[in-house]
Amino acid sequence: MAVFVLSLVLLLSSFSAIPFTYADSGMIGVNYGRIADNLPAPEKVVELLKTQGINRVKLYDTEKTVLTALANSGIKVVVSLPNENLASAAADQSYTDTWVQENIKKYIPATDIEAIAVGNEVFVDPRNTTTYLVPAMKNVQSSLVKFNLDKSIKISSPIALSALASSYPPSAGSFKPELIEPVIKPMLDLLRKTSSHLMVNAYPFFAYAANADKISLDYALFKDNAGNVDSGNGLKYNSLLDAQIDAVFAAMSAVGFNDVKVVVTETGWPSAGDENEIGAGSANAAAYNGGLVKRVLTGNGTPLKPKEPLNVYLFALFNENQKTGPTSERNYGLFYPNENKVYDVSLSGKSTPVNDNKEKVVPVKPSHVGQTWCVANGKTTKEKLQEGLDYACGEGGADCRPIQPGATCYNPESLEAHASYAFNSYYQKNARGVGTCDFGGAAYVVSQPPKYGKCEFPTEH
């Protein structure tokens, strides 16, 4: 996602030191997933977070190198106990005692851990770990109490919207009946007792892609739209995310837990996808994340809970090349692994945080709307670059005359520069189609003109 002006949209001042208590304007964090073989070292990632003004991050484990790199950074951290650990955590509190001691206590207070996500989307885990969830959460909580950490560190467990039996209209939101007594009620009871939030992963993209004939794209992307009125309570919704969150609130209310708060631990939009993934693309991803940030910083809650600000973690920091599944799964990142931004989000100055933040907003550079280029990934191997270059200039049919000796784009005489020109020629020739800027991971799409010497890269053929 090539030039994401995250420093603009995430210039948030520091919030209350009490975990999960936020300023009136809501909170934005980011998920730092690492299912990739080409990511920067954790120390470089922390520097990236800091330079972009990101002061909250969520991890999917308790990797030592990452927690160490985050020490004394001023960044608040949510860590996770992975699903594969749930059975052991549920069976024996001595296990969670050791886990908390080795993975939490050892790193604080230098690393500011504010919450633990016990498992992730457990109800859809193919390992069938649902029965272990609440016992594991209780044991982790008991371990936090034992080490006197329960006041500063909260617990929860991110649920997917698939935990709902009904989500439309929002007022009809309800949990799947088979989950309510065994796990939903006892989990919400624990969250209530510990003043913790329910963590929810919500993706309007999935709902839109599956129902593009019924759901307005503007409604999904926070753009101006006519809105939808909930036939059950008469409330009007102008964004699909608001409707999804209120469906969760309604489901909690239906089982007697109207007072438990919610934090959206994952939400985002893919910058690329397969042909059948309707709506995937960098322009829509920029619109979604840009609209979401403006939405959060207004300080308004949802129609059902107007006084409770939205608190969200964007998914995700990087594109992750080793994730399985459709193309979209590998393209949720705000940044490429080489730390280039994936797309540009233009926001007005009015999107500054409503919390007396005195920091100046960085002006947004003009974006090249609708224009994209394909460039070489300089961090891949020379063999991969050469292989891609040979294909593009050979059977791929790219126009490689400008990178021949003496021609306009021969200088700089580097494999990366020449490969970039060839990759882009192939990409433009194929109408910038999905999958035409990959070359086995040796290339990626950018939305700012590439700069290699004085060479100008075409935007169409």
Side-chain angles (χ1 to χ4, degrees):
M1 304 171 194
V3 185
F4 189 95
V5 189
L6 207 53
S7 53
L8 169 64
V9 299
L10 296 182
L11 279 173
L12 304 178
S13 61
S14 59
F15 294 85
S16 166
I18 303 173
F20 287 100
T21 301
Y22 305 115
D24 291 342
S25 63
M27 176 282 297
I28 294 174
V30 66
N31 284 273
Y32 172 18
R34 304 192 324 282
I35 305 177
D37 60 5
N38 55 358
L39 298 184
E43 293 78 14
K44 290 194 70 179
V45 173
V46 172
E47 284 306 307
L48 176 66
L49 293 169
K50 289 165 71 174
T51 58
Q52 301 300 324
I54 302 171
N55 61 9
R56 270 188 164 88
V57 67
K58 178 172 160 285
L59 310 175
Y60 290 90
D61 52 24
T62 52
E63 168 60 40
K64 178 180 179 180
T65 58
V66 176
L67 291 178
T68 301
L70 283 161
N72 305 306
S73 64
I75 298 170
K76 293 185 177 293
V77 184
V78 176
V79 299
S80 301
L81 185 146
N83 290 352
E84 54 264 31
N85 297 47
L86 288 176
S88 299
D92 188 357
Q93 199 199 316
S94 66
Y95 177 89
T96 57
D97 285 349
T98 301
W99 187 87
V100 167
Q101 196 160 19
E102 290 297 312
N103 297 283
I104 307 294
K105 193 169 186 293
K106 182 190 290 187
Y107 298 99
I108 58 173
T111 302
D112 191 357
I113 298 172
E114 64 171 344
I116 300 169
V118 180
N120 184 57
E121 299 188 352
V122 173
F123 308 149
V124 292
D125 182 7
R127 302 178 188 87
N128 296 318
T129 48
T130 297
T131 56
Y132 304 126
L133 179 57
V134 174
M137 291 176 71
K138 288 181 175 178
N139 280 345
V140 171
Q141 176 65 18
S142 295
S143 297
L144 290 174
V145 171
K146 181 174 182 177
F147 294 113
N148 199 28
L149 299 173
D150 57 303
K151 298 295 189 292
S152 60
I153 299 175
K154 301 299 182 182
I155 61 162
S156 189
S157 184
I159 66 167
L161 284 184
S162 57
L164 300 181
S166 172
S167 62
Y168 183 82
S171 60
S174 61
F175 290 111
K176 289 180 175 175
E178 65 272 20
L179 294 173
I180 293 174
E181 294 301 330
V183 61
I184 294 293
K185 281 187 174 180
M187 179 175 68
L188 291 175
D189 185 57
L190 180 60
L191 297 181
R192 172 188 279 167
K193 287 175 178 175
T194 57
S195 301
S196 298
H197 289 39
L198 176 65
M199 295 176 169
V200 177
N201 296 344
Y203 287 91
F205 168 70
F206 294 142
Y208 173 75
N211 303 278
D213 57 331
K214 300 183 183 71
I215 297 175
S216 156
L217 182 59
D218 288 347
Y219 181 64
L221 296 178
F222 299 100
K223 293 183 177 181
D224 290 339
N225 64 90
N228 289 302
V229 176
D230 187 318
S231 58
N233 57 21
L235 294 174
K236 185 178 180 180
Y237 288 85
N238 290 104
S239 84
L240 181 51
L241 181 65
D242 278 35
Q244 290 180 333
I245 295 170
D246 274 358
V248 176
F249 278 129
M252 290 197 295
S253 182
V255 293
F257 290 89
N258 190 46
D259 54 328
V260 175
K261 296 179 188 275
V262 163
V263 56
V264 179
T265 35
E266 285 184 23
T267 190
W269 197 282
S271 61
D274 296 320
E275 285 186 20
N276 64 342
E277 294 188 283
I278 302 170
S282 59
N284 288 345
Y288 181 81
N289 282 320
L292 173 62
V293 169
K294 283 194 267 191
R295 169 75 185 81
V296 168
L297 296 184
T298 63
N300 298 326
T302 63
L304 196 59
K305 302 273 189 175
K307 294 183 179 179
E308 294 187 12
L310 284 181
N311 300 306
V312 305
Y313 286 81
L314 300 177
F315 186 86
L317 187 58
F318 294 110
N319 280 347
E320 298 172 74
N321 68 345
Q322 291 189 314
K323 295 195 82 169
T324 57
T327 296
S328 61
E329 285 294 307
R330 294 173 288 285
N331 288 280
Y332 275 92
L334 304 174
F335 290 86
Y336 293 109
N338 64 3
E339 299 182 46
N340 283 345
K341 298 162 187 178
V342 178
Y343 49 77
D344 187 11
V345 173
S346 298
L347 297 176
S348 71
K350 293 181 181 178
S351 57
T352 48
V354 192
N355 55 14
D356 296 324
N357 183 7
K358 304 300 183 190
E359 295 187 64
K360 292 181 180 178
V361 176
V362 180
V364 182
K365 294 180 180 178
S367 63
H368 299 262
V369 178
Q371 297 183 19
T372 54
W373 293 261
C374 182
V375 297
N377 178 1
K379 293 195 173 183
T380 196
T381 63
K382 288 182 178 180
E383 290 76 19
K384 263 193 175 183
L385 286 180
Q386 189 64 56
E387 185 179 324
L389 175 61
D390 292 343
Y391 171 79
C393 293
E395 61 184 284
D399 180 9
C400 295
R401 290 172 296 178
I403 55 175
Q404 301 308 309
T408 54
C409 290
Y410 182 69
N411 290 316
E413 187 186 352
S414 75
L415 179 57
E416 182 181 340
H418 288 183
S420 291
Y421 190 91
F423 292 169
N424 183 66
S425 175
Y426 177 84
Y427 174 65
Q428 304 297 341
K429 177 187 172 186
N430 287 280
R432 301 193 286 269
V434 173
T436 61
C437 180
D438 183 62
F439 296 93
Y444 57 88
V445 177
V446 297
S447 61
Q448 297 290 303
K451 289 188 176 7
Y452 291 99
K454 296 180 179 178
C455 181
E456 288 191 12
F457 279 48
T459 56
E460 58 185 20
H461 275 262

